Amino acid sequence: MGKQEDFVLRALEERDVRFVRLWFTDVLGFLKSVSVAPAELENAFEEGIGFDGSAIEGFARVYESDMLAHPDAATFQILPWRGGDDGGPATARMFCDIGMPDGSPSYADPRHVLKRTLGAAADKGFTFYTHPEIEFYLFKDMPGKGDEPQPVDRSGFFDHTAQSRGADFRREAITMLEAMGISVEFSHHEGGPGQQEIDLRYADALTTADNIMTFRTVIREVALGQDIWASFMPKPFTTHPGSGMHTHVSLFEGDRNAFFEAGAEYQLSKTGRQFIAGILRHASEISVVTNQWVNSYKRLLGGGEAPSGVCWGHNNRSAMVRVPMYKPNKGQSTRVELRTIDAACNPYLAFAVVLAAGMKGIEEGYELPREAEDDVWSLTERERRALGITPLPRSLWDAIGIAEDSELLAETLGEHVFDFFLRNKRAEWEEYRGQVSAFERDRMLPVL
């Protein structure tokens, strides 16, 4: 065992930890948890904890179901909402890497998919950093079936409101996140009623993906503790903005930002331009992962801060990829912002496919197309075509059709995840397609 494992075993005694939750993520991005006693942890570090993989969505077929969860000691944290200090015995958590009985990594583990993609970039000398801006809604309680959810407030973008439920919520949530070692950069009320945004400080992509899984859990725990309901659904309202996860990305070569070049247009290096070109060329292929739900495409219809066309622009918030304004003497902070991703994605898979698309642009030397200088939302379809702006997939079904033929996606996700993910998405679409909506009843029952 290494130093980190020794540190964890000591911390269990010093902090009176009675339960350790081992966390991992299924293929669709849902958090799974198995609880072990501290006495079992030394063995877990050495051999892993066995479980039935066939019971986890997308993990294994029945005849190859034995799997092992190997805790990653570097992710050890005390759960601040579960006792500890003055609240009785504490509960801790660690993320796990999933392995097979022969010691090989599981092909179905999303965390491994990202690690494999990060490893391929590292072989070329690059480290991938991400910084997500996570939006979500707070409702007065869990919406009933068919009911319109009730937001906790009627505030708007950056509003400062006395006695605001949102402000109280954000304060408690940020305190809890920072207690778990997750640094928050900004937080504010977003544009929709009850809509919040909390931005996490940039970190390497694996750490950020772990942090997003923790973030979603913390947000829900804090909401339940305040008798309200938090949702990361991409578009809960027809008339209010959707919730995205605009993500700033950058590549580093050692301590040097590979996207920065002094004196270049927008201070953006050739590497940075090729990375953007890769994301744009493969945007439609990776949409099924970055925007994986039927509801995701209601957000991408255009307007409301969500992109609808494949294009890039300097400081242009209507573009799919935005190059933020350069800050003098801050070359290390040069980055690009991807505005398609929503917070309901599987962050491990989403970061993996974004990195793979960008790296493909660098490896193949893709040319960056002309930038979009207009407000893309205000352009007609004909004007967009004339500018070379192709539409993003209009529905989950469109996204599935494009993804099925994507070599990049199959290679990045691996055959098992690629196959399971698309089968699951087809089933979701078929179930959705068969539903009779309130729109149809309201429109047609009175007249037909």
Side-chain angles (χ1 to χ4, degrees):
M1 282 194 302
K3 288 181 181 176
Q4 288 180 319
E5 287 82 0
D6 288 339
F7 165 78
V8 169
L9 295 174
R10 281 200 313 276
L12 296 177
E13 291 185 30
E14 291 167 6
R15 300 291 296 274
D16 190 23
V17 174
R18 302 284 177 88
F19 302 95
V20 181
R21 290 186 180 173
L22 304 184
W23 284 2
F24 58 97
T25 305
D26 73 11
V27 173
L28 296 178
F30 292 110
L31 189 67
K32 302 295 174 181
S33 178
V34 58
S35 208
V36 298
E40 298 298 316
L41 210 54
E42 191 167 345
N43 185 57
F45 282 137
E46 289 178 359
E47 299 177 13
I49 295 287
F51 70 97
D52 176 7
S54 66
I56 305 296
E57 194 75 26
F59 258 44
R61 292 162 284 238
V62 172
Y63 56 81
E64 53 188 13
S65 59
D66 290 338
M67 289 188 169
L68 294 165
H70 296 277
D72 181 347
T75 65
F76 176 82
Q77 286 288 350
I78 304 291
L79 297 180
W81 63 88
R82 283 286 179 204
D85 295 332
D86 54 0
T91 299
R93 74 94 162 100
M94 277 179 283
F95 282 99
C96 292
D97 293 307
I98 306 303
M100 306 302 285
D102 65 2
S104 64
S106 166
Y107 43 69
D109 179 12
R111 201 168 187 259
H112 177 64
V113 170
L114 177 56
K115 284 175 118 173
R116 190 173 62 219
T117 314
L118 292 169
D123 289 343
K124 295 190 163 53
F126 294 113
T127 310
F128 185 47
Y129 287 91
T130 56
H131 153 62
E133 303 174 349
I134 310 176
E135 296 172 344
F136 56 95
Y137 273 91
L138 296 177
F139 303 126
K140 289 179 180 174
D141 49 32
M142 188 173 94
K145 194 168 183 179
D147 294 341
E148 175 101 343
Q150 297 300 308
V152 296
D153 61 49
R154 291 286 164 189
S155 302
F157 187 67
F158 268 44
D159 277 359
H160 177 83
T161 312
Q163 304 297 320
S164 164
R165 288 293 295 273
D168 292 343
F169 173 90
R170 293 194 302 272
R171 189 182 312 112
E172 185 178 342
I174 290 166
T175 301
M176 204 172 273
L177 287 165
E178 295 194 330
M180 295 190 71
I182 298 175
S183 297
V184 170
E185 195 162 69
F186 300 111
S187 72
H188 58 84
H189 199 287
E190 252 301 330
Q195 191 182 29
Q196 318 295 320
E197 177 176 313
I198 297 178
D199 303 354
L200 305 186
R201 193 173 293 281
Y202 88 98
D204 68 275
L206 182 65
T207 299
T208 307
D210 287 344
N211 286 349
I212 290 168
M213 296 305 300
T214 305
F215 178 95
R216 294 198 299 217
T217 303
V218 167
I219 293 300
R220 292 191 180 106
E221 289 284 352
V222 173
L224 290 170
Q226 296 189 9
D227 295 322
I228 56 180
W229 185 261
S231 175
F232 297 94
M233 182 177 176
K235 192 79 163 77
F237 296 105
T238 302
T239 53
H240 298 305
S243 291
M245 187 172 76
H246 301 159
T247 301
H248 297 250
V249 303
S250 56
L251 288 178
F252 273 69
E253 291 180 290
D255 294 331
R256 188 183 72 82
N257 187 337
F259 283 4
F260 174 68
E261 184 186 321
E265 188 178 24
Y266 311 137
Q267 318 300 315
L268 188 64
S269 69
K270 183 179 179 183
T271 298
R273 297 173 74 82
Q274 290 172 337
F275 191 91
I276 296 171
I279 290 176
L280 295 180
R281 185 175 298 192
H282 299 287
S284 293
E285 297 168 52
I286 67 175
S287 282
V288 77
V289 176
T290 57
N291 305 86
Q292 72 173 60
W293 306 101
V294 157
N295 182 253
S296 297
Y297 294 85
K298 303 288 174 76
R299 172 181 163 257
L300 294 180
L301 285 172
E305 295 285 303
S308 57
V310 178
C311 60
W312 74 283
H314 173 56
N315 229 24
N316 183 346
R317 292 180 184 275
S318 68
M320 177 191 149
V321 176
R322 183 176 79 95
V323 179
M325 196 173 290
Y326 171 68
K327 295 175 183 173
N329 306 318
K330 286 205 170 177
Q332 293 296 75
S333 67
T334 300
R335 62 202 186 279
V336 300
E337 179 189 24
L338 181 60
R339 297 175 67 81
T340 38
I341 305 182
D342 59 50
C345 70
N346 181 330
Y348 300 102
L349 300 185
F351 288 165
V353 298
V354 168
L355 174 58
M359 289 302 297
K360 195 76 167 175
I362 294 168
E363 290 157 18
E364 303 289 335
Y366 291 172
E367 285 289 323
L368 187 61
R370 183 177 145 199
E371 73 173 287
E373 297 176 351
D374 303 286
D375 175 356
V376 180
W377 298 315
S378 67
L379 299 175
T380 64
E381 283 296 323
R382 179 176 291 180
E383 287 170 333
R384 290 185 193 193
R385 278 199 303 273
L387 291 169
I389 299 172
T390 57
L392 284 160
R394 301 291 177 87
S395 67
L396 181 61
W397 181 249
D398 288 349
I400 293 167
I402 297 165
E404 284 173 334
D405 297 325
S406 171
E407 287 181 24
L408 178 91
L409 211 56
E411 189 179 302
T412 306
L413 298 181
E415 183 184 346
H416 178 90
V417 173
F418 180 71
D419 179 60
F420 172 81
F421 194 87
L422 290 183
R423 273 192 291 119
N424 183 280
K425 294 294 109 184
R426 282 188 219 106
E428 181 186 341
W429 176 260
E430 286 303 319
E431 190 176 348
Y432 170 74
R433 199 165 66 112
Q435 297 295 315
V436 177
S437 67
F439 172 87
E440 293 164 279
R441 283 192 289 268
D442 293 345
R443 179 67 64 93
M444 296 173 190
L445 279 176
V447 295
L448 297 181

